[in-house]
Amino acid sequence: MKTMSRTAGNGLLVLLALAFLSPIYLMLVNSFKNRAELYRNALALPSSFSFQYYDKAMEKMSFFTAFGNSLYVTIVSVVIVVVLASMTAWMLVRTDDKLSRIIFLVFVSTMLIPFQTLMMPLMQVMDWIRTNLHIPMLNTREGLIYMNVGFHASMAVFLYHGFIKSVPVALEEAATLDGCSKFGVFWRIVFPMLKTITITVAILDVIAMWNDYLLPSLTLSDKGLRTIPLSTFYFFGEFTIQWNLAMAGLTLTIIPVVIFYIFAQKYIIKGIAAGAVK
């Protein structure tokens, strides 16, 4: 009876895995087909595995320019989020008073606000800043980075806040007695102990920022500044969709983040569980 139950459970897991992997299969096999072959049977394997459509997709979407923009925006945004959120969470935990709890509650509360309710007021505020303060917040990669940090800081503070509670205060007190400054205590003692949750925050933010389409579409208009998700929009015209090139472009889009995820995946569940529960 137990063997049958285990077999049924394994079979269910296999079916679920196939269901989740089916979109990736469709994307990969159709990226090697011409349009006629794709429309004939989207599920069948291609007649030949030629990379000609990848070459066309890379040329049409200006892949290396878009890749550089996405890489710059994502890396700088994630580094700033990690640095600011970890320091903020540490100060909120170590100064456990009413004001700190209110500030933390504000951070957590902002996680509940959908981006769609903020996007138009946000664009109006960014335009006001550009017009009146002459700070280029729109159509610049730095403006997009600024907005990325604002939207992803709350979750990072929440995760760091829970994890830092597990860091012994005695270590910080010993370092202070040895003459270490507050800045030194954090970077030499506390931050190295946050490796697990830092990698978790980085993974979650890299995936979210790399695949984000909506915020860059509102912020960036120049072709040379567009990120990879924006560049794939070239394949979806008003009257026709180049599905085979779109599949090739989407495959190129997800490869970097999949590679990053594979190398860092073991930290995700561990870090989230530690950050949310401790």
Side-chain angles (χ1 to χ4, degrees):
M1 191 69 175
K2 188 180 292 187
T3 304
M4 291 179 61
S5 177
R6 186 180 298 126
T7 303
N10 291 337
L12 179 61
L13 290 176
V14 170
L15 291 175
L16 289 173
L18 291 175
F20 281 108
L21 291 174
S22 58
I24 298 177
Y25 168 80
L26 289 172
M27 181 178 65
L28 285 174
V29 298
N30 290 311
S31 66
F32 293 98
K33 299 177 182 178
N34 57 40
R35 295 178 67 180
E37 192 177 3
L38 187 151
Y39 288 128
R40 192 179 306 121
N41 189 347
L43 296 175
L45 291 173
S47 56
S48 64
F49 288 90
S50 172
F51 287 93
Q52 59 177 316
Y53 301 113
Y54 282 86
D55 292 336
K56 291 180 181 178
M58 291 175 69
E59 181 181 356
K60 190 162 187 176
M61 65 191 292
S62 302
F63 177 77
F64 291 108
T65 300
F67 181 85
N69 290 333
S70 288
L71 195 65
Y72 172 75
V73 169
T74 301
I75 290 178
V76 175
S77 298
V78 170
V79 169
I80 295 175
V81 167
V82 165
V83 171
L84 296 183
S86 59
M87 296 177 72
T88 301
W90 179 60
M91 290 304 297
L92 292 177
V93 171
R94 293 300 182 244
T95 55
D96 188 20
D97 53 21
K98 187 175 182 180
L99 179 60
S100 297
R101 289 191 288 271
I102 291 174
I103 294 174
F104 178 66
L105 184 61
V106 170
F107 273 108
V108 175
S109 300
T110 57
M111 294 166 53
L112 305 176
I113 304 174
F115 171 72
Q116 289 78 5
T117 64
L118 299 175
M119 59 184 185
M120 296 315 297
L122 175 67
M123 292 303 107
Q124 292 172 349
V125 171
M126 295 299 108
D127 187 59
W128 183 90
I129 292 175
R130 180 183 60 179
T131 304
N132 295 280
L133 303 181
H134 306 291
I135 300 175
M137 301 302 294
L138 296 177
N139 202 32
T140 62
R141 295 181 299 180
E142 289 71 24
L144 178 58
I145 290 170
Y146 176 82
M147 286 179 266
N148 274 336
V149 172
F151 281 110
H152 292 86
S154 298
M155 173 65 80
V157 169
F158 171 71
L159 293 174
Y160 274 117
H161 191 276
F163 196 91
I164 289 172
K165 291 180 180 178
S166 66
V167 177
V169 182
L171 294 176
E172 301 173 32
E173 294 174 344
T176 302
L177 290 175
D178 288 339
C180 196
S181 65
K182 211 166 188 65
F183 188 82
V185 168
F186 178 76
W187 288 111
R188 295 181 182 180
I189 306 299
V190 178
F191 191 75
M193 301 180 69
L194 305 178
K195 177 183 176 182
T196 301
I197 195 64
T198 296
I199 294 176
T200 301
V201 169
I203 292 171
L204 296 176
D205 285 347
V206 163
I207 294 174
M209 294 177 190
W210 186 272
N211 294 324
D212 187 21
Y213 175 84
L214 188 54
L215 184 57
S217 69
L218 295 171
T219 308
L220 306 175
S221 57
D222 286 355
K223 183 178 178 180
L225 296 175
R226 293 179 180 177
T227 58
I228 284 186
L230 286 183
S231 297
T232 58
F233 186 71
Y234 289 124
F235 306 120
F236 301 91
E238 185 176 357
F239 301 105
T240 182
I241 299 177
Q242 298 172 291
W243 282 111
N244 54 339
L245 297 183
M247 294 299 104
L250 291 172
T251 302
L252 292 170
T253 300
I254 69 170
I255 286 175
V257 74
V258 168
I259 293 173
F260 176 74
Y261 178 84
I262 289 173
F263 281 102
Q265 62 177 325
K266 65 180 180 179
Y267 295 98
I268 291 182
I269 302 301
K270 187 179 183 181
I272 291 178
V277 175
K278 286 184 180 178

